Amino acid sequence: MSLAHYLAVVKGKRLPLWWRSKFLAVPDNFSSLPTEQLWQLHDELTKSLRTKKRGNEPTQQAGKSSLLDLKIELTRRIYRSCTLCPLVCRTDRLNGEMGRCGLKADAHVFRDGLLVSEEPFIVPTHELFLAGCNMRCKFCQAWEGIVRTKLGFKLTGSKFASAVELKAKQGALNIHFVGGEPTVNLLAVLVSLKSLDLPLPIVWNTNLFATDEAMKLLDGVVDLFVADFKFGNDECAQAVGGVESYVATVQNNLLKASQITSLVIRHLVMPGHIECCLEPVVSWVAQNLPKVTFHLMLNYVPDWKAWRDKALSRRLSQSEKQTAKAIVKSKGLKRVLISE
Ligand code: SF4
């Protein structure tokens, strides 16, 4: 999907998907259903959000259960033996066990601010940096929220609502979840949305290293995916990002994200990773999602553990920047943004 859905929400011509989920009624006894039936109900209702032409008409009576409640219940069940991402820890996060993302059930916002330096159609944007991540990119610029997952304030409905209302008054166009990785914080985000009475679009700034179940839960919540396609092959993903089976997972989820809602794909060009990462990433996008907005990021800065990696311990050279631009141009992508 192009940016049309997201832009229509920003202009007030459509309601955000999470808002519609919040007001789409489900039977009050839904939480007694077995998980398989709950998924069936979830999938049918989520699909109906997309098939309704305008979708501006809330159907929920005050006090009744909604599709958002159903998503919360499914996420809770997943947290009991966590499979939200391909690391499949199977830890009981509701019972105080910690997954490889460093998280139990709670979420912490380690930075919160109004930013103007992102893609032009999302700024000014209210970014909430959520602690915890399922990847360990050596160059991570948000590493303080990866190693200290209780930094900042605990995400609760009331704190979230007051933070969003304040930033909206200051001009924020959207609510922008970033990390770390927002998907590994899904339960706290969904619960917090219940307390919010402001229909702003949700931007989900993600590594898309997520399972099918997580992608289904995000469907009907996210209005714009800003997705990093970081590595062009599994060897680099393992060596630099610390995860296995990366490429197929992310490609699959990019295709899904493009069917669910609006999508922007980012690629941060890493020094020494032009042929192995940038080239295959751009080729795949050009072949599979040629109309999607592609953001080529040439502003790599070594951080965290990058200093220990010979290739990653420097900025991009001018010749690498020129080569990166030439590769993107040669593949014929329709919508390209470049930041240096
Ligand atoms: S979200 Fe966290 S706990 Fe769940 S599978 Fe991924 S790394 Fe493990």
Side-chain angles (χ1 to χ4, degrees):
M1 207 187 279
S2 66
L3 294 174
H5 165 73
Y6 165 76
L7 294 174
V9 177
V10 169
K11 288 177 190 158
K13 293 183 178 166
R14 283 180 76 90
L15 284 166
L17 287 164
W18 70 271
W19 185 267
R20 290 160 63 189
S21 291
K22 183 171 159 163
F23 289 100
L24 186 56
V26 299
D28 270 336
N29 67 345
F30 76 92
S31 61
S32 61
L33 293 174
T35 302
E36 204 175 313
Q37 278 182 36
L38 215 52
W39 274 118
Q40 222 173 353
L41 183 58
H42 170 274
D43 295 354
E44 280 165 20
L45 289 171
T46 306
K47 196 172 165 197
S48 79
L49 284 182
R50 266 202 303 277
T51 45
K52 272 189 176 177
K53 241 187 162 176
R54 284 173 54 78
N56 282 357
E57 310 82 16
T59 58
Q60 189 204 30
Q61 308 274 313
K64 299 276 183 188
S65 303
S66 72
L67 175 57
L68 184 58
D69 293 306
L70 197 156
K71 285 177 179 290
I72 290 169
E73 173 65 20
L74 281 167
T75 311
R76 275 210 179 97
R77 292 187 191 187
I78 292 175
Y79 268 42
R80 285 269 172 219
S81 173
C82 192
T83 53
L84 259 193
C85 87
L87 299 184
V88 194
C89 301
R90 295 205 179 277
T91 45
D92 185 349
R93 296 174 61 180
L94 294 186
N95 211 13
E97 290 177 22
M98 186 186 287
R100 286 169 65 188
C101 51
L103 299 176
K104 299 176 185 173
D106 290 341
H108 282 75
V109 178
F110 65 93
R111 233 183 283 155
D112 169 36
L114 196 66
L115 274 84
V116 293
S117 56
E118 306 284 16
E119 287 83 357
F121 39 83
I122 65 171
V123 296
T125 181
H126 176 197
E127 296 200 14
L128 293 126
F129 290 78
L130 296 171
C133 191
N134 50 355
M135 296 184 75
R136 286 291 178 274
C137 300
K138 289 179 177 177
F139 53 83
C140 182
Q141 291 190 319
W143 59 270
E144 75 272 28
I146 309 301
V147 295
R148 293 176 60 199
T149 52
K150 291 197 171 160
L151 210 59
F153 67 87
K154 185 172 150 184
L155 187 68
T156 61
S158 56
K159 280 210 168 166
F160 173 67
S162 49
V164 170
E165 282 157 16
L166 176 68
K167 293 295 185 292
K169 277 185 196 144
Q170 294 170 355
L173 294 181
N174 49 53
I175 308 157
H176 185 161
F177 290 103
V178 61
E181 168 56 39
T183 308
V184 297
N185 287 287
L186 187 59
L187 181 57
V189 171
L190 295 179
V191 171
S192 296
L193 286 172
K194 275 179 68 77
S195 303
L196 185 65
D197 281 323
L198 204 55
L200 288 175
I202 288 187
V203 177
W204 203 254
N205 194 324
T206 173
N207 60 30
L208 277 190
F209 194 61
T211 53
D212 291 349
E213 288 172 321
M215 291 303 292
K216 285 209 286 181
L217 291 165
L218 291 171
D219 187 357
V221 173
V222 172
D223 294 294
L224 172 65
F225 282 99
V226 176
D228 286 315
F229 190 176
K230 293 166 183 271
F231 306 106
N233 67 83
D234 284 342
E235 290 70 35
C236 291
Q238 167 75 66
V240 181
V243 292
E244 291 172 356
S245 309
Y246 171 87
V247 175
T249 302
V250 172
Q251 287 177 345
N252 197 21
N253 286 341
L254 283 168
L255 294 173
K256 279 189 193 141
S258 73
Q259 289 152 12
I260 290 172
T261 188
S262 298
L263 169 68
V264 173
I265 300 176
R266 287 179 174 179
H267 179 77
L268 175 67
V269 183
M270 299 168 285
H273 288 263
I274 305 279
E275 284 168 18
C276 56
C277 288
L278 171 70
E279 217 279 336
V281 162
V282 179
S283 295
W284 185 86
V285 174
Q287 218 166 356
N288 295 281
L289 293 166
K291 292 182 186 160
V292 165
T293 302
F294 182 83
H295 187 171
L296 179 73
M297 303 176 79
L298 300 171
N299 44 6
Y300 174 89
V301 178
D303 207 331
W304 202 25
K305 297 177 179 171
W307 305 103
R308 296 186 207 150
D309 182 304
K310 203 175 167 202
L312 296 174
S313 61
R314 61 173 175 83
R315 290 175 184 251
L316 291 175
S317 66
Q318 281 310 316
S319 102
E320 282 174 320
K321 289 184 184 179
Q322 293 312 323
T323 308
K325 287 181 197 168
I327 288 174
V328 170
K329 198 171 176 194
S330 72
K331 302 292 178 186
L333 289 169
K334 303 267 183 299
R335 298 182 180 93
V336 177
L337 295 171
I338 299 176
S339 54
E340 295 194 48

